[in-house]
Amino acid sequence: MHGVDAKKDPNRVVIFDTTLRDGEQAPGFSMGAAAKLEMARALTALGVDVIEAGFAAASPGDEEAVRIVSGEVEGPVFCSLSRATESDILAAHRALSHNRARRIHIFLGTSPIHRKAKFNMTADEVLAQAVRAVAFARTLFDDIEFSAEDAIRTERAFLGDVMEATAEAGATTLNVPDTVGYSTPAEISDLFRYLHGRIAPRFPDAVLSAHCHDDLGMAVANTLSAIQGGARQVEVAVNGIGERAGNCALEEVVMALRTRADQFGVTTGVDTTKLVGVSRLLSRLTDSPIVRNKAIVGINAFAHEAGIHQHGVIADARTYEIMLPQDVGFDGTSFVLGKHSGRHAVAKRAAVLGHEISENLMGAVFAGFKRRADEIGEISDSELVAIIEAAYAENEPPPQRYAAAN
Ligand code: KIV
Ligand code: ZN
């Protein structure tokens, strides 16, 4: 169930991926058409519902990228961002004309600071422009998303008026962006409940959407709270890339919904076993490493160095893991040797490498191991072999099998 069909199930959350637009527009994450195409194919296999492929009016290159990506990939709905102007809407329409599964995403700032500093317009003028733009887009598109940019800092009643008026004009998805990452979980769920109360009775098919930025590190928490308040579309980006501190991370929100289904009671169409692969693809295409402790997809997400943790995980992985590594695309748990590891883990790794260390040599090996771990941190297999060899050289000749192998 891809794209618009997902809207029919009340407990199904539409995954709107903006890696190729909000993500791509952030410094360091720029992608050309070829890279966008590779990402779009991977996102399609991942099972996202909507791919925002770019902002057609931003540059001829962006229009071309939206055209190529939406023309060559089938499955999700393809979308272009657009300001609330006829020329932008026409550019989006040109770029998306090769795919019938298309959506336009029109945005206009609605908060007092945006109305004054960006447009010098009154609230009534902003509302009228939003309605005009959506009505014009309706002559070209069936699937229209309207975003009240900086919704979180917009007066609540006025935001409700804008949402109602744009739904009336033909918007089918109403997006509530926390453009500057200012909201809190309690505030945003309350706002969604208010908007749901105003919109659902008159426009039961309209989908409320959350778009949260991470300036205070709350994008994922806010997105989850918006779902609890009635959002049924979330706008996310792989690895959380996006303007400034980024967007809500796709992999984090999807795994939170799945792991804590008891709390949220909703589903997505994402094949979670592809999360690590997509994350690494984006990292390669944008030449941006994934921080090791990144939730879900960082290499530390299922790695253990501390002896107490290794011992627990060997006995039962659930002691220190709340998800199966295979469920997000890792081969399995990894045990890393370092200064926090115990004798048991060192002996076990040595055995895997073909070195059964005798009881009386273990003390020397373990002391050498701790010394070296203090110096360099992580002990690789070759480092461990070197430590064992040094211990043998100082203490006793290597056993027969070990001697023969060398
Ligand atoms: O953050 C934002 O407000 C946006 C809009 C264009 C949806 O990215
Ligand atoms: Zn944004």
Side-chain angles (χ1 to χ4, degrees):
M1 186 170 56
H2 255 304
V4 279
D5 287 345
K7 289 181 178 180
K8 294 187 182 128
D9 176 351
N11 293 324
R12 171 70 153 75
V13 171
V14 172
I15 300 293
F16 176 114
D17 182 89
T18 188
T19 309
L20 304 182
R21 198 281 297 169
D22 206 319
E24 194 263 344
Q25 82 190 42
F29 295 110
S30 183
M31 279 175 264
K36 282 193 174 187
L37 189 56
E38 205 173 335
M39 267 309 286
R41 291 202 167 109
L43 290 167
T44 302
L46 183 67
V48 306
D49 301 293
V50 184
I51 293 179
E52 187 165 48
F55 182 177
S59 72
D62 229 22
E63 182 173 332
E64 182 63 2
V66 175
R67 178 177 304 110
I68 291 173
V69 168
S70 61
E72 297 205 11
V73 185
E74 287 279 322
V77 170
F78 280 92
C79 174
S80 170
L81 187 66
S82 165
R83 280 166 296 197
T85 64
E86 287 199 11
S87 58
D88 269 30
I89 294 167
L90 289 171
H93 187 250
R94 273 195 311 274
L96 292 165
S97 57
H98 298 293
N99 195 326
R100 289 200 317 194
R102 58 172 173 249
R103 169 183 298 189
I104 187 160
H105 177 191
I106 299 170
F107 74 103
L108 184 63
T110 52
S111 65
I113 180 80
H114 279 230
R115 294 190 315 249
K116 183 159 190 329
K118 286 170 63 181
F119 316 125
N120 197 20
M121 274 160 65
T122 65
D124 285 349
E125 286 166 338
V126 166
L127 189 140
Q129 184 174 339
V131 168
R132 243 189 341 267
V134 171
F136 177 66
R138 189 70 190 86
T139 63
L140 302 166
F141 290 88
D142 293 328
D143 189 346
I144 300 170
E145 171 166 336
F146 179 78
S147 274
E149 192 188 13
D150 205 17
I152 293 298
R153 294 191 296 172
T154 300
E155 305 89 331
R156 207 173 252 213
F158 177 58
L159 181 62
D161 292 346
V162 172
M163 295 297 184
E164 276 185 5
T166 51
E168 182 89 58
T172 42
T173 299
L174 303 168
N175 188 36
V176 181
D178 183 11
T179 303
V180 288
Y182 183 71
S183 200
T184 66
E187 179 186 62
I188 204 166
S189 59
D190 192 50
L191 176 63
F192 270 83
R193 275 190 198 99
Y194 166 78
L195 292 172
H196 193 263
R198 280 191 65 170
I199 299 297
R202 286 187 60 204
F203 307 99
D205 293 335
V207 174
L208 286 179
S209 166
H211 176 113
C212 297
H213 279 272
D214 206 30
D215 299 68
L216 292 173
M218 291 192 280
V220 173
N222 286 340
T223 301
L224 293 167
S225 276
I227 291 171
Q228 290 178 316
R232 283 298 175 268
Q233 172 177 286
V234 293
E235 303 201 349
V236 295
V238 175
N239 297 343
I241 69 170
E243 283 287 353
R244 303 178 312 280
N247 281 97
C248 171
L250 180 154
E251 59 281 358
E252 295 179 22
V253 85
V254 164
M255 287 312 291
L257 293 177
R258 179 182 158 145
T259 308
R260 298 308 311 271
D262 59 320
Q263 292 287 309
F264 299 106
V266 295
T267 58
T268 73
V270 169
D271 174 357
T272 63
T273 64
K274 295 196 162 60
L275 288 170
V276 167
V278 174
S279 159
R280 289 184 178 175
L281 175 65
L282 178 67
S283 162
R284 178 169 65 72
L285 292 172
T286 57
D287 202 15
S288 308
I290 304 161
V291 62
R292 6 179 3 131
N293 67 329
K294 168 81 185 63
I296 315 296
V297 293
I299 57 166
N300 279 9
F302 297 91
H304 308 274
E305 177 186 318
I308 294 165
H309 286 221
Q310 291 190 343
H311 217 251
V313 170
I314 288 165
D316 185 334
R318 289 172 299 179
T319 50
Y320 291 105
E321 289 181 358
I322 57 166
M323 297 165 270
L324 291 177
Q326 293 83 356
D327 282 351
V328 303
F330 282 109
D331 291 340
T333 296
S334 66
F335 294 108
V336 175
L337 291 182
K339 67 177 178 185
H340 303 106
S341 304
R343 292 168 83 95
H344 184 67
V346 173
K348 221 171 153 218
R349 187 71 203 152
V352 170
L353 297 171
H355 298 278
E356 296 295 345
I357 302 168
S358 64
E359 234 346 274
N360 51 357
L361 199 72
M362 192 57 206
V365 169
F366 196 57
F369 169 83
K370 288 277 181 181
R371 262 196 313 275
R372 193 73 183 124
D374 267 340
E375 281 163 18
I376 64 166
E378 200 172 305
I379 300 291
S380 66
D381 287 351
S382 55
E383 279 288 345
L384 183 57
V385 170
I387 292 163
I388 295 167
E389 278 172 356
Y392 272 126
E394 279 169 26
N395 295 280
E396 61 180 55
Q400 210 45 46
R401 185 166 59 80
Y402 175 71
N406 288 276

